[in-house]
Amino acid sequence: MSDPQTTGERSTYTWSAGRYPSLAPNLLPAIARLVSACGVDPGNRVLDVGCGTGNAALTARRAGADVTGVDVTRPMLELARDSTELAGYDDVNWVAGDAEALPFPDDAFDVVLSSFGHVFSPAAVEAGREMVRVAQPGGRVAFTSWSPDGLVGALTEVLDDYVTHEDHDPWAHLRWGETDFVRDRLGDDCELSFERRIARFRYVSPEHFWRDFAVEAGPLSPALRALDDEASRAALRQDALATLDEWFADNTVRVEYLLVRGVVDGEN
């Protein structure tokens, strides 16, 4: 794959790299809580922003909703189509598009959700506003984001010691895991509520998690490949495994996240 040139292409490259879909099943309990928090009812018009492999969209469809999934990464959309077809559904609408410029009219959906999706947009603030824009007054907007005080924040600190980020801010998505940040961006348009949760990634060792999360999967593999020095790569791995060990017990890596739910004001 050639090096991407634009910010949007960089985002696409990061999240379509390696075996990222292998991580997706670990998020299924968090997705179920997200859909439940939205109060999805049969017949609701639901939009899944940054739908990825389609698990949140499929969960909402199983609740009886009329579902649309949007993602900037076309390979992910193909995986999403395959997943919903396997489940016996042929009526989920899959759309290629950017979260920061959603290709839908105002007030188009009863529920707009994003499972660790819109927060990774290169223009996440605009993406958040877009989610509110396409939700009808009184509708629900909800999303999940990794916590800066949890494992993802700790691993980001480790990565910062080894990798320079000239083209993006590695902490940008984690700010959506701070309640004050979310209130500042969406509080004028939504009545917000927050819930701290733990996602449990099932692995037999921290080394197995690191292989999937960093070596072979999407989130960190491009950054690791940017390290040409083998000694630095080895040192980064050891520091990361030491951090992971603090969050590992009973064949589980515990990853803290924030679940945000908003009810859109009468005029958004």
Side-chain angles (χ1 to χ4, degrees):
M1 184 180 294
S2 60
D3 290 338
Q5 300 299 315
T6 68
T7 302
E9 287 171 336
R10 280 194 297 270
S11 178
T12 301
Y13 172 69
T14 300
W15 291 97
S16 62
R19 298 194 306 122
Y20 169 70
S22 69
L23 294 173
N26 290 288
L27 299 178
L28 290 176
I31 287 171
R33 293 188 187 98
L34 176 64
V35 173
S36 177
C38 291
V40 173
D41 292 322
N44 279 171
R45 299 162 298 167
V46 174
L47 176 65
D48 180 9
V49 178
C51 61
T53 55
N55 288 332
L58 178 56
T59 302
R61 176 62 187 85
R62 291 191 64 184
D66 178 6
V67 180
T68 297
V70 60
D71 200 286
V72 71
T73 311
R74 292 182 184 274
M76 290 290 188
L77 290 174
E78 290 303 318
L79 290 171
R81 289 188 181 96
D82 291 344
S83 179
T84 49
E85 288 175 4
L86 182 64
Y89 297 117
D90 59 3
D91 55 356
V92 176
N93 184 31
W94 302 108
V95 178
D98 289 337
E100 61 263 31
L102 292 171
F104 308 104
D106 296 353
D107 308 339
F109 298 95
D110 302 294
V111 174
V112 181
L113 58 85
S114 186
S115 173
F116 305 101
H118 95 277
V119 298
F120 288 99
S121 168
V125 172
E126 288 78 2
R129 292 171 181 155
E130 280 288 274
M131 290 172 64
V132 173
R133 178 186 66 80
V134 301
Q136 68 172 5
R140 287 87 74 199
V141 172
F143 63 88
T144 48
S145 175
W146 301 120
S147 169
D149 300 322
L151 173 63
V152 177
L155 287 177
T156 301
E157 287 185 355
V158 171
L159 195 65
D160 278 351
D161 290 337
Y162 294 89
V163 179
T164 57
H165 306 276
E166 297 178 355
D167 57 358
H168 72 287
D169 177 4
W171 291 92
H173 72 94
L174 288 166
R175 295 190 181 97
W176 289 92
E178 300 172 346
T179 56
D180 287 346
F181 181 91
V182 177
R183 286 192 183 97
D184 286 345
R185 271 60 184 180
L186 302 181
D188 290 342
D189 298 312
C190 298
E191 180 181 345
L192 297 168
S193 59
F194 304 95
E195 184 179 355
R196 293 285 178 191
R197 304 291 306 194
I198 296 291
R200 291 173 171 80
F201 285 53
R202 308 294 183 182
Y203 285 95
V204 73
S205 72
E207 288 81 359
H208 285 83
F209 178 87
W210 181 250
R211 179 197 64 188
D212 276 6
F213 190 74
V215 178
E216 299 183 3
L220 293 184
S221 56
L224 290 183
R225 285 196 293 271
L227 278 177
D228 296 329
D229 179 35
E230 187 62 34
S232 294
R233 291 167 65 96
L236 168 58
R237 180 177 183 274
Q238 288 305 312
D239 286 350
L241 289 176
T243 298
L244 279 166
D245 195 58
E246 298 175 10
W247 298 83
F248 180 80
D250 300 326
N251 287 347
T252 300
V253 178
R254 306 181 312 281
V255 191
E256 182 180 287
Y257 69 94
L258 180 68
L259 192 161
V260 179
R261 180 182 184 269
V263 178
V264 179
D265 294 341
E267 294 183 4
N268 44 334

